[in-house]
Amino acid sequence: MPGKVKVGIIGSQFEAQIHAESFRILPDEAEVVAVASPTPGNAQKFAKQYNIPRAFTDYKQMLAERDIEMVTIAAPNSLHAQMTIDIANAGKHVVCEKPLCMTLEEADEMIDTCEKKGVLLMYAEELFFTPKYVKAKQMADEGAFGKVYLVKQCEKHFGPHTGWFWDIAKSGGGVFMDMGCHGIAFCYWFLDRPKIKSVYCQMATHVHTDKTKGEDNTICILEFENGAVGLIEDSWARRGGMEDRIEIYGEGGVTYADLHMGNALPTYSEYGYGYAVEKAPTTKGWTYPVFDELYNYGFPQEMHHFARCVRGKETPIATGRDGRVVQQVLYAGYHSAATGKKIELPFTPKNVKTPIELWLKKENKK
Amino acid sequence: MPGKVKVGIIGSQFEAQIHAESFRILPDEAEVVAVASPTPGNAQKFAKQYNIPRAFTDYKQMLAERDIEMVTIAAPNSLHAQMTIDIANAGKHVVCEKPLCMTLEEADEMIDTCEKKGVLLMYAEELFFTPKYVKAKQMADEGAFGKVYLVKQCEKHFGPHTGWFWDIAKSGGGVFMDMGCHGIAFCYWFLDRPKIKSVYCQMATHVHTDKTKGEDNTICILEFENGAVGLIEDSWARRGGMEDRIEIYGEGGVTYADLHMGNALPTYSEYGYGYAVEKAPTTKGWTYPVFDELYNYGFPQEMHHFARCVRGKETPIATGRDGRVVQQVLYAGYHSAATGKKIELPFTPKNVKTPIELWLKKENKK
Amino acid sequence: MPGKVKVGIIGSQFEAQIHAESFRILPDEAEVVAVASPTPGNAQKFAKQYNIPRAFTDYKQMLAERDIEMVTIAAPNSLHAQMTIDIANAGKHVVCEKPLCMTLEEADEMIDTCEKKGVLLMYAEELFFTPKYVKAKQMADEGAFGKVYLVKQCEKHFGPHTGWFWDIAKSGGGVFMDMGCHGIAFCYWFLDRPKIKSVYCQMATHVHTDKTKGEDNTICILEFENGAVGLIEDSWARRGGMEDRIEIYGEGGVTYADLHMGNALPTYSEYGYGYAVEKAPTTKGWTYPVFDELYNYGFPQEMHHFARCVRGKETPIATGRDGRVVQQVLYAGYHSAATGKKIELPFTPKNVKTPIELWLKKENKK
Amino acid sequence: MPGKVKVGIIGSQFEAQIHAESFRILPDEAEVVAVASPTPGNAQKFAKQYNIPRAFTDYKQMLAERDIEMVTIAAPNSLHAQMTIDIANAGKHVVCEKPLCMTLEEADEMIDTCEKKGVLLMYAEELFFTPKYVKAKQMADEGAFGKVYLVKQCEKHFGPHTGWFWDIAKSGGGVFMDMGCHGIAFCYWFLDRPKIKSVYCQMATHVHTDKTKGEDNTICILEFENGAVGLIEDSWARRGGMEDRIEIYGEGGVTYADLHMGNALPTYSEYGYGYAVEKAPTTKGWTYPVFDELYNYGFPQEMHHFARCVRGKETPIATGRDGRVVQQVLYAGYHSAATGKKIELPFTPKNVKTPIELWLKKENKK
């Protein structure tokens, strides 16, 4: 089909809003024509806000719309697999948010189904598109740092707004599941996807014990086959707003890229103002408002790229296979945290329902 | 005419490249179909690099192309007026780079001709679109700072690459003419265009006396009718790369926005890499590479807006009248620097050929 | 006399506390043995807090103490001259806080009296000792920047705590008098004391019209005989805490030194804590606490140096003559702001009672 | 003995220079009267440079000087133990540089001997005195951050100048031995010395395989009994100069303290200048010179404190017992890196000669 790629969104909360906004910011390749969200009223409200013509309560009805070519999933982690399979069976391309799913079995089924049905399974890892991080990779690829031996990435804030994240049955895990997947994918991609040899994690619930069984602060060390190391930190226990940054170390140099304090307008206001940044507690006093937040995270560029892939103009930069690699590292990380040992890959335990159970089943602990 | 606005570019050097790149980055409203540059070969080379179908040595021939709707001027300051008039007479909309022209008479003629011909005279002041600066204005408009009493803007580097800038007959002045126009327009726009009451300038040629008669470092103080003050610094004598930043002071708060060090990836490289930032002397050792340079300056957003204006979807944010206000301040600034007095506006001396002659004619000095 | 220099302090408020603290931080050359403050109880309270053996309500009685060798003046500007003369007449060395005094006549009398009495008149300009600024000067003197053509200094906060500053009869002027003297002295010293050719000032009372007739925001441009320029900004209208920084521009390079944000620990606290920085409005939310505040301003090093000068081990880095140069620039600045003209030095109007009257007497305005 | 504490220094290289400079910067409690260094000529040269009256080739002769009260050890790690014991036997107080020694047995002997002889064994961990870090701890102790759950510290550069560091027989290990001891002590002290429960390390020789068997980049995770975590990074493979910073995370807030980029004067110089910072490769181009380097590291304050302890005016903040805690963590860290497991404390293997052999003996690896 010529013309703009027609897109349907499943979801109506924070992540879905990012999707809709992204298609609006770079509108030349795609248009959102439908949204589906199960809670009565949510889809209509969302459709109205974003000028989307069709709203559904049942996403399967949306999948029946013949003209829709690509569907984005912005729903709880526990629903990613089924939705992906349904979308693929409807002959539409899939954009699945991170983390890919709950289990390796689900990942395999998602990948296989999409392959069989001849549709793309694209993995919405926006860090592959974050302009500042792309610049870092570009410099690395140009030889600026010589052989890169250490990649660090962190993402920290004081916890998600949306309720299901705190319910490990729906999310599959705490902050490592929610945000560690970014760092894992990022290090893997930055180094040009060398095999991951081992995973070590330290995690705990330091602050939000009243809200969740999930871990709220994690440290993860990856060892790669080429000798490089990844160091990933994630937190739902960091006050003061968002933090997302990387550090790259090579034999020949270093670079630092900070998406928040490193981009912000340090600002003091007695009175407050409209909006500073995701997760900012206030706009009074000193704050670090950012500009063009979504663009500087890479969301519009990501969606723009996915639409171009549907048209065959580009090949997906982030795929379900990347998501499956991440999934295995999530398993290994939770297990490592329980046992106090680094876990060598491959690590493919069967019958895991949620990654976090590998941590909570502490009888594995040595 | 429906569909994308068809654009012609006059010029093939640094500024013209920025135009072409900008239309490429946000391509949904316009397409560049022609380029004209007088030096034989330049237009063809440019056309090839940017995939532009038609190339001309004589821009008047380009103006004869009936389908072209908007023409951007990226040529020496001394040619802006004639080109604008020719473009308007050909019934096409004008995007004129800063500074608008050389004299107030030229400015009036440009504005009048475009009005008569019913075409837009849009002034390419990208700082009205620079995302980080737009965020600052947004916060100010939301009341973050209470009444704003001081707006500061500066732009500094070690001097332009292109030769005509150093020839005051072609440029009309040194750094104040080249970059002061940004700061003047910025303060005026940021405060919502209160009348400018007075202008004081201090300027000198500190470093590049071997290259030019033009000033290479300037300090400019504007007093506005509403009591606010603008402080604008410009330099062609600042080593180490680009610097562009603002500071906003109000009764209720402050904000700082730095486009370079404030956005960069502090980077050390033994070996160097592809590109750091405009005017960077090297990519070895410590550097401050930026990301998405043009987007973070606002050039694509500016051109996107201008194209939408041609379609009547928006009203021009920056017009020839803004350029004329700047022109008058340039006059007053050079005269102030010569006399050591602040100059009250209006200030409209006749028979000025280049703004800088008001400075060089130091018999006015008290 | 061998052993530590015995010191008396006149004053008991903010500035006097800085003096006492400074002698405590670097205690090897001097000891504070007396304090005098006219308000009953203040001197005793101060003496108790700082372990000072002798307290006086009448400073002249303190001057009768034979063992005291050096007296520091931390009193309102309008009292500096008389106190200096009294101290000199008592045969003791003088450390006078900035600004030196109210008028050129006072300055001359202070300098002459001290010379006649064979005592040192030392000028407490701490920026000559601020370690970060000293490092900048050191690099400049080592040739890092080639010929320095522009020195910028600014100091900004939201206004003094102590009452007499807002009363121009006691202070002599607003923020230019209070803090502009720092910048004037700094640029002069940094460039190795070239003659100051001209002074231009823009000033206004933007925010504190309810509290004072004094100006609360100033911009001052100095032109030096060697072609260099000084740009000095001062404000009592800047929210959010202290700001003090310099920028140095030379043909061969640049440097930036920020004493607050550039040294601070960016900190977020829900609960607040003891102390962030001078003039900080709060310790909750985001703040920029500094460390070793007095030492990083150079106060202990300054007092240490002055004591060593009393012993003849060093020659005073900052003298009454520096203070007199500043005084003349203060006159010229206020007059410039009134007339809208840059004022060439020397500028020595007679019968001036307070520098600010040269601004308020706007009949001079052209 | 009254008067200043008389000090002897063992050593004449980089670390000894820091000691001598430190006593010079804060001279009111101690004076250096002797230096001993085995290489003929070194002690004399050092003595001349620092105005030290007595120079020795054999430190035991220096220990015979009756008036010396305190001796600082700035010699290779492998000599710390014997020197400490000799100093104690000579009835003098000991200041031992980090790391304390090579083995736990040595540590115990050093502690016991000093105790028996009634002399202080003070451990030269300057991070307990680094003003910026002390400020962070002060805020934490004032409740700024609520319960602190994560303390991060890192120190990175491109490798030591002095030769014996690269020889693991003399040093005992690579960067973890050399600089990891700082981070271990720092986290332990910052949290008020809760028991360390476990240690996990990842280490490798990424860059300097041509120079050393020692590890040149390490990541260390400590788990404390109170639930808090320490994350310590050290590197001899980081280009571009020194990096030393901390991050503190608590339930109620965060703080960041960077001793280099966070304190520096960002500087560009075409020509270069005298000195930027420890380990800086050049002073041309962009650099991050610091100011008051030793003072901002806390070295003078540390030595000042130690001298006051000798006089009984203060109790040692950093003792041999702290050094022994660090020693045990070093053992555990090397063993952890070899086995891929976190090691629970206590961990006290016998017959270890150098901590690094626990890593190199990879038959322990699982």
Side-chain angles (χ1 to χ4, degrees):
Chain A
M1 284 175 229
K4 294 188 183 183
V5 172
K6 292 185 156 62
V7 177
I9 296 175
I10 303 178
S12 63
Q13 299 310 299
F14 184 62
E15 203 60 51
Q17 292 166 0
I18 289 178
H19 290 192
E21 263 304 315
S22 298
F23 286 112
R24 176 190 283 191
I25 288 170
L26 290 181
D28 57 294
E29 294 281 351
E31 54 180 334
V32 181
V33 298
V35 56
S37 189
T39 311
N42 279 5
Q44 280 81 358
K45 181 162 166 242
F46 190 92
K48 183 158 185 220
Q49 182 183 357
Y50 290 101
N51 253 353
I52 299 169
R54 294 169 253 171
F56 298 86
T57 324
D58 180 352
Y59 75 85
K60 289 179 189 162
Q61 288 191 349
M62 182 173 79
L63 295 184
E65 300 289 289
R66 300 195 63 187
D67 59 335
I68 292 176
E69 304 172 71
M70 180 170 98
V71 179
T72 73
I73 301 173
N77 303 341
S78 50
L79 303 177
H80 288 192
Q82 190 58 53
M83 290 177 174
T84 296
I85 286 158
D86 291 341
I87 296 165
N89 282 331
K92 298 167 191 332
H93 301 282
V94 182
V95 172
C96 185
E97 266 298 339
K98 37 61 65 183
L100 189 68
C101 50
M102 300 288 257
T103 73
L104 289 174
E105 289 84 352
E106 282 186 351
D108 287 332
E109 197 181 356
M110 293 160 75
I111 292 170
D112 291 343
T113 307
C114 289
E115 223 171 88
K116 263 202 202 88
K117 294 291 172 178
V119 296
L120 300 169
L121 174 52
M122 296 173 285
Y123 180 55
E125 178 44 73
E126 78 273 9
L127 296 196
F128 296 8
F129 301 87
T130 305
K132 202 164 187 176
Y133 294 169
V134 169
K135 175 65 182 178
K137 180 160 179 24
Q138 192 178 352
M139 291 192 290
D141 294 345
E142 288 165 351
F145 316 119
K147 182 176 180 351
V148 172
Y149 65 84
L150 174 62
V151 177
K152 295 176 57 176
Q153 189 272 348
C154 80
E155 188 183 348
K156 304 186 180 189
H157 57 67
F158 204 63
H161 302 300
T162 314
W164 62 258
F165 282 96
W166 302 96
D167 179 348
I168 59 175
K170 295 191 183 156
S171 59
V175 70
F176 189 56
M177 184 80 178
D178 175 36
M179 297 180 350
C181 48
H182 282 303
I184 297 162
F186 179 81
C187 295
Y188 180 58
W189 164 79
F190 195 96
L191 294 163
D192 289 326
R193 296 183 168 84
K195 259 205 173 121
I196 301 170
K197 253 182 35 169
S198 75
V199 182
Y200 181 84
C201 271
Q202 192 280 338
M203 53 179 73
T205 318
H206 292 284
V207 168
H208 296 293
T209 45
D210 56 320
K211 277 175 100 151
T212 185
K213 289 189 155 33
E215 72 292 355
D216 64 15
N217 198 82
T218 65
I219 302 168
C220 175
I221 302 173
L222 304 179
E223 289 181 318
F224 291 88
E225 220 175 38
N226 66 349
V229 176
L231 174 57
I232 300 153
E233 295 180 60
D234 296 284
S235 188
W236 280 348
R238 190 267 191 183
R239 295 264 196 187
M242 272 296 269
E243 180 176 20
D244 198 313
R245 52 191 168 102
I246 67 173
E247 301 172 22
I248 308 296
Y249 297 82
E251 169 277 325
V254 292
T255 191
Y256 302 84
D258 181 326
L259 296 191
H260 293 94
M261 288 194 194
N263 269 9
L265 296 78
T267 296
Y268 183 90
S269 173
E270 276 293 298
Y271 311 121
Y273 53 94
Y275 177 80
V277 66
E278 186 189 349
K279 307 293 192 296
T282 176
T283 61
K284 290 189 184 179
W286 279 102
T287 52
Y288 289 100
V290 295
F291 60 95
D292 270 17
E293 193 174 24
L294 291 191
Y295 193 89
N296 280 320
Y297 249 118
F299 288 113
Q301 300 90 317
E302 172 189 55
M303 293 301 163
H304 189 262
H305 163 73
F306 290 151
R308 289 177 62 80
C309 290
V310 166
R311 285 282 170 270
K313 299 181 195 177
E314 290 174 27
T315 316
I317 286 173
T319 70
R321 293 190 190 282
D322 291 320
R324 189 194 187 280
V325 167
V326 171
Q327 197 68 27
Q328 191 175 167
V329 175
L330 290 174
Y331 274 20
Y334 282 108
H335 187 65
S336 169
T339 60
K341 295 193 271 193
K342 79 180 174 188
I343 305 304
E344 309 224 336
L345 300 194
F347 177 73
T348 56
K350 308 270 162 247
N351 296 325
V352 169
K353 290 195 176 40
T354 58
I356 193 176
E357 73 190 46
L358 293 165
W359 180 51
L360 296 173
K361 262 174 30 179
K362 281 192 181 54
E363 62 261 19
N364 297 342
K365 197 159 155 188
K366 187 161 115 71
Chain B
M1 282 176 232
K4 294 189 183 182
V5 172
K6 291 184 156 63
V7 178
I9 296 176
I10 303 179
S12 63
Q13 299 311 299
F14 184 61
E15 203 58 53
Q17 292 166 0
I18 289 178
H19 290 192
E21 263 306 313
S22 298
F23 286 112
R24 177 189 283 192
I25 288 170
L26 289 180
D28 57 293
E29 292 282 350
E31 54 179 333
V32 181
V33 298
V35 57
S37 188
T39 310
N42 278 7
Q44 280 81 359
K45 181 162 165 238
F46 190 93
K48 185 160 184 217
Q49 183 184 354
Y50 290 100
N51 253 354
I52 299 169
R54 294 168 252 172
F56 299 86
T57 323
D58 181 350
Y59 75 85
K60 289 179 189 160
Q61 289 191 348
M62 183 173 79
L63 296 183
E65 301 288 290
R66 301 196 61 189
D67 59 336
I68 291 176
E69 305 171 70
M70 180 170 97
V71 178
T72 73
I73 301 173
N77 303 340
S78 51
L79 304 176
H80 288 190
Q82 189 57 54
M83 290 177 174
T84 296
I85 286 158
D86 291 342
I87 296 165
N89 282 332
K92 297 167 192 332
H93 302 282
V94 182
V95 171
C96 184
E97 266 298 338
K98 35 62 64 183
L100 190 67
C101 49
M102 301 288 256
T103 70
L104 289 174
E105 289 85 352
E106 282 186 350
D108 287 332
E109 197 181 357
M110 292 160 77
I111 291 169
D112 291 345
T113 307
C114 290
E115 222 172 87
K116 262 200 205 87
K117 296 292 173 175
V119 296
L120 299 170
L121 174 52
M122 295 173 286
Y123 181 54
E125 177 46 73
E126 77 273 9
L127 296 195
F128 295 9
F129 301 87
T130 305
K132 202 164 188 176
Y133 293 169
V134 169
K135 175 65 181 179
K137 180 160 178 25
Q138 191 179 354
M139 291 193 289
D141 293 346
E142 288 165 353
F145 316 120
K147 181 175 180 352
V148 172
Y149 65 83
L150 173 62
V151 177
K152 294 177 58 177
Q153 190 272 347
C154 80
E155 189 183 347
K156 307 187 177 189
H157 57 68
F158 204 62
H161 303 300
T162 314
W164 62 258
F165 282 96
W166 303 97
D167 179 347
I168 59 175
K170 295 190 181 156
S171 58
V175 70
F176 189 55
M177 183 81 178
D178 175 36
M179 296 177 355
C181 49
H182 282 303
I184 296 162
F186 179 81
C187 295
Y188 180 58
W189 164 79
F190 195 95
L191 293 163
D192 287 328
R193 296 184 169 84
K195 261 208 174 114
I196 301 170
K197 251 183 37 171
S198 74
V199 183
Y200 181 84
C201 271
Q202 191 280 339
M203 54 178 73
T205 318
H206 291 285
V207 169
H208 296 294
T209 45
D210 57 318
K211 278 176 100 151
T212 185
K213 288 189 155 37
E215 73 291 355
D216 64 16
N217 197 81
T218 64
I219 301 167
C220 174
I221 301 173
L222 304 179
E223 289 181 319
F224 291 87
E225 218 175 39
N226 67 351
V229 176
L231 174 56
I232 300 153
E233 294 179 62
D234 296 284
S235 187
W236 280 348
R238 190 268 191 180
R239 295 264 195 187
M242 272 297 271
E243 181 176 19
D244 198 312
R245 52 189 169 103
I246 67 172
E247 300 172 24
I248 307 297
Y249 297 82
E251 168 277 324
V254 292
T255 192
Y256 303 85
D258 181 325
L259 296 190
H260 293 96
M261 288 194 194
N263 269 9
L265 296 78
T267 296
Y268 183 89
S269 174
E270 276 292 297
Y271 311 121
Y273 53 94
Y275 177 80
V277 65
E278 187 190 349
K279 306 295 190 297
T282 175
T283 62
K284 290 190 185 177
W286 278 102
T287 52
Y288 290 99
V290 295
F291 60 95
D292 270 17
E293 194 173 24
L294 292 190
Y295 193 88
N296 279 321
Y297 249 119
F299 288 112
Q301 300 90 316
E302 172 189 55
M303 292 301 164
H304 188 261
H305 163 72
F306 289 153
R308 289 176 63 79
C309 291
V310 166
R311 285 283 170 268
K313 298 181 194 177
E314 289 174 27
T315 315
I317 286 172
T319 70
R321 292 190 190 282
D322 290 321
R324 189 195 187 281
V325 167
V326 171
Q327 198 68 27
Q328 192 176 166
V329 175
L330 291 173
Y331 274 20
Y334 283 108
H335 187 65
S336 169
T339 60
K341 295 195 269 192
K342 80 180 172 190
I343 304 304
E344 309 226 334
L345 299 194
F347 177 73
T348 55
K350 308 270 163 247
N351 295 325
V352 169
K353 290 195 176 38
T354 60
I356 194 176
E357 73 190 46
L358 293 165
W359 179 51
L360 296 172
K361 260 175 30 180
K362 283 194 181 53
E363 61 260 19
N364 297 341
K365 197 160 153 183
K366 183 160 114 77
Chain C
M1 285 175 227
K4 295 189 183 183
V5 172
K6 292 186 157 62
V7 177
I9 296 176
I10 303 179
S12 63
Q13 299 312 299
F14 185 62
E15 203 59 52
Q17 291 167 1
I18 289 179
H19 290 191
E21 263 305 314
S22 297
F23 286 111
R24 176 189 283 190
I25 288 170
L26 291 180
D28 57 294
E29 294 281 349
E31 54 179 334
V32 181
V33 299
V35 57
S37 189
T39 310
N42 278 6
Q44 280 80 358
K45 179 162 166 240
F46 190 93
K48 185 163 183 212
Q49 182 183 356
Y50 290 101
N51 253 354
I52 298 169
R54 294 170 252 172
F56 299 86
T57 323
D58 180 350
Y59 76 85
K60 289 179 188 162
Q61 289 192 348
M62 184 173 78
L63 296 182
E65 302 287 288
R66 300 194 62 187
D67 58 335
I68 292 176
E69 304 172 72
M70 180 169 98
V71 179
T72 73
I73 300 172
N77 302 341
S78 51
L79 304 176
H80 288 191
Q82 189 57 54
M83 289 176 174
T84 295
I85 287 158
D86 291 342
I87 296 166
N89 282 331
K92 297 167 192 333
H93 300 283
V94 181
V95 172
C96 184
E97 265 299 336
K98 37 60 66 181
L100 189 68
C101 48
M102 301 288 257
T103 71
L104 289 173
E105 289 84 353
E106 283 185 350
D108 287 332
E109 196 181 356
M110 292 160 76
I111 291 169
D112 291 345
T113 308
C114 289
E115 221 170 87
K116 263 200 203 88
K117 296 292 173 176
V119 296
L120 299 170
L121 173 52
M122 297 174 284
Y123 181 55
E125 177 45 73
E126 78 273 10
L127 296 196
F128 294 9
F129 301 87
T130 305
K132 202 164 187 176
Y133 294 169
V134 169
K135 175 64 181 181
K137 180 160 179 26
Q138 192 178 354
M139 292 192 288
D141 293 347
E142 288 164 353
F145 315 121
K147 181 175 182 346
V148 171
Y149 65 83
L150 174 62
V151 177
K152 294 177 58 177
Q153 190 272 348
C154 80
E155 188 182 347
K156 305 187 179 190
H157 57 68
F158 204 63
H161 301 301
T162 314
W164 62 259
F165 282 97
W166 302 97
D167 179 347
I168 59 175
K170 295 190 181 155
S171 58
V175 71
F176 189 55
M177 183 80 179
D178 176 36
M179 295 178 354
C181 49
H182 282 302
I184 296 162
F186 179 80
C187 294
Y188 179 58
W189 164 80
F190 195 96
L191 293 163
D192 288 326
R193 297 183 170 84
K195 261 208 174 116
I196 301 170
K197 252 183 36 172
S198 75
V199 182
Y200 181 83
C201 269
Q202 190 280 337
M203 54 179 72
T205 318
H206 290 286
V207 168
H208 296 294
T209 45
D210 57 319
K211 279 175 97 152
T212 184
K213 287 192 156 35
E215 73 292 356
D216 64 14
N217 198 81
T218 64
I219 301 168
C220 175
I221 301 174
L222 304 179
E223 289 180 318
F224 291 88
E225 218 176 41
N226 67 350
V229 176
L231 174 57
I232 300 152
E233 294 181 61
D234 295 285
S235 186
W236 281 347
R238 189 267 192 181
R239 294 265 196 187
M242 272 295 271
E243 180 175 21
D244 198 313
R245 52 189 168 103
I246 67 173
E247 302 172 22
I248 307 297
Y249 297 82
E251 169 276 325
V254 292
T255 192
Y256 303 84
D258 181 324
L259 298 189
H260 294 96
M261 287 195 195
N263 269 9
L265 297 79
T267 297
Y268 183 89
S269 174
E270 275 295 296
Y271 310 122
Y273 54 93
Y275 177 81
V277 66
E278 186 189 350
K279 307 295 191 294
T282 175
T283 62
K284 290 190 185 177
W286 279 102
T287 52
Y288 289 99
V290 295
F291 60 95
D292 270 16
E293 192 173 24
L294 292 191
Y295 194 87
N296 279 321
Y297 250 118
F299 288 113
Q301 299 89 317
E302 173 189 54
M303 293 302 163
H304 189 259
H305 163 73
F306 289 152
R308 290 177 63 79
C309 291
V310 166
R311 287 281 171 268
K313 299 180 194 177
E314 289 174 27
T315 315
I317 287 173
T319 70
R321 292 190 189 281
D322 290 322
R324 189 193 188 283
V325 167
V326 171
Q327 198 69 26
Q328 193 177 165
V329 175
L330 290 174
Y331 274 21
Y334 282 109
H335 187 64
S336 169
T339 59
K341 296 193 271 192
K342 81 180 173 189
I343 305 305
E344 309 225 335
L345 300 194
F347 177 72
T348 56
K350 308 269 163 249
N351 296 324
V352 170
K353 290 195 176 40
T354 59
I356 193 176
E357 71 190 47
L358 293 165
W359 179 51
L360 295 174
K361 259 171 36 177
K362 283 193 179 56
E363 62 261 19
N364 298 341
K365 196 163 158 182
K366 184 160 115 79
Chain D
M1 285 177 227
K4 295 190 185 184
V5 172
K6 291 186 157 60
V7 178
I9 296 175
I10 302 179
S12 63
Q13 299 311 301
F14 185 61
E15 202 59 51
Q17 292 167 359
I18 289 178
H19 290 191
E21 262 306 313
S22 298
F23 286 112
R24 175 190 285 193
I25 288 170
L26 290 180
D28 57 294
E29 293 282 349
E31 54 179 333
V32 182
V33 298
V35 56
S37 188
T39 310
N42 277 7
Q44 280 81 357
K45 179 162 166 239
F46 190 93
K48 185 158 185 221
Q49 183 183 357
Y50 290 100
N51 253 352
I52 298 169
R54 294 170 252 172
F56 299 85
T57 325
D58 180 350
Y59 75 85
K60 290 181 188 161
Q61 289 192 347
M62 182 173 79
L63 295 184
E65 301 288 290
R66 299 195 64 185
D67 59 337
I68 292 177
E69 303 171 75
M70 181 170 97
V71 179
T72 73
I73 301 173
N77 302 340
S78 51
L79 304 177
H80 287 191
Q82 189 58 53
M83 289 177 174
T84 296
I85 286 159
D86 291 342
I87 296 165
N89 281 333
K92 298 167 191 330
H93 301 282
V94 182
V95 172
C96 185
E97 265 298 337
K98 37 60 64 181
L100 189 68
C101 50
M102 301 288 258
T103 71
L104 289 173
E105 289 85 351
E106 283 186 350
D108 287 332
E109 197 180 356
M110 292 160 76
I111 291 169
D112 291 344
T113 307
C114 290
E115 221 171 88
K116 262 201 202 88
K117 296 290 173 176
V119 296
L120 298 170
L121 174 52
M122 296 174 284
Y123 180 56
E125 177 45 73
E126 78 273 9
L127 296 196
F128 294 8
F129 301 88
T130 305
K132 203 163 187 177
Y133 293 169
V134 168
K135 175 65 182 179
K137 181 162 179 23
Q138 192 178 354
M139 291 192 290
D141 293 346
E142 289 165 351
F145 315 120
K147 180 174 182 349
V148 172
Y149 65 82
L150 174 62
V151 177
K152 294 177 57 177
Q153 190 272 349
C154 80
E155 188 182 347
K156 305 187 180 190
H157 58 68
F158 204 63
H161 302 302
T162 314
W164 60 258
F165 282 97
W166 303 96
D167 179 348
I168 59 176
K170 295 190 181 153
S171 59
V175 70
F176 189 55
M177 183 81 179
D178 176 35
M179 298 179 351
C181 49
H182 282 303
I184 296 162
F186 179 81
C187 294
Y188 179 58
W189 164 79
F190 195 96
L191 293 164
D192 290 326
R193 297 182 169 84
K195 258 204 173 121
I196 301 170
K197 252 182 37 170
S198 75
V199 182
Y200 181 84
C201 271
Q202 191 281 336
M203 53 178 74
T205 318
H206 291 286
V207 168
H208 297 295
T209 46
D210 56 318
K211 278 175 98 150
T212 185
K213 289 190 156 34
E215 72 292 355
D216 64 16
N217 197 82
T218 64
I219 302 168
C220 175
I221 301 173
L222 304 180
E223 289 180 318
F224 291 88
E225 218 176 40
N226 67 349
V229 176
L231 174 58
I232 300 152
E233 294 180 61
D234 296 284
S235 186
W236 281 347
R238 189 265 193 183
R239 295 265 195 186
M242 272 298 270
E243 180 175 21
D244 198 311
R245 53 191 168 102
I246 66 172
E247 302 173 22
I248 308 297
Y249 296 82
E251 168 277 325
V254 292
T255 192
Y256 302 84
D258 181 326
L259 298 189
H260 293 96
M261 287 195 194
N263 269 8
L265 297 77
T267 296
Y268 183 89
S269 174
E270 275 293 297
Y271 311 121
Y273 54 94
Y275 177 80
V277 65
E278 186 189 349
K279 308 293 191 296
T282 176
T283 61
K284 291 190 184 179
W286 279 101
T287 52
Y288 289 100
V290 294
F291 60 94
D292 270 18
E293 192 173 26
L294 292 191
Y295 194 88
N296 279 321
Y297 250 118
F299 289 112
Q301 299 90 318
E302 172 188 55
M303 293 300 164
H304 189 260
H305 164 72
F306 290 152
R308 289 177 62 80
C309 291
V310 166
R311 285 281 170 268
K313 298 181 193 177
E314 290 174 27
T315 315
I317 287 172
T319 70
R321 292 191 191 281
D322 290 321
R324 189 194 187 282
V325 167
V326 170
Q327 198 68 28
Q328 192 177 167
V329 174
L330 290 174
Y331 274 20
Y334 282 109
H335 187 65
S336 169
T339 60
K341 295 193 270 192
K342 81 181 174 190
I343 305 304
E344 309 224 337
L345 300 193
F347 178 72
T348 56
K350 307 272 163 247
N351 297 324
V352 170
K353 291 196 174 40
T354 59
I356 194 177
E357 73 191 47
L358 293 165
W359 180 50
L360 296 173
K361 260 170 39 175
K362 281 193 181 54
E363 62 263 16
N364 299 341
K365 196 163 159 185
K366 186 163 112 80

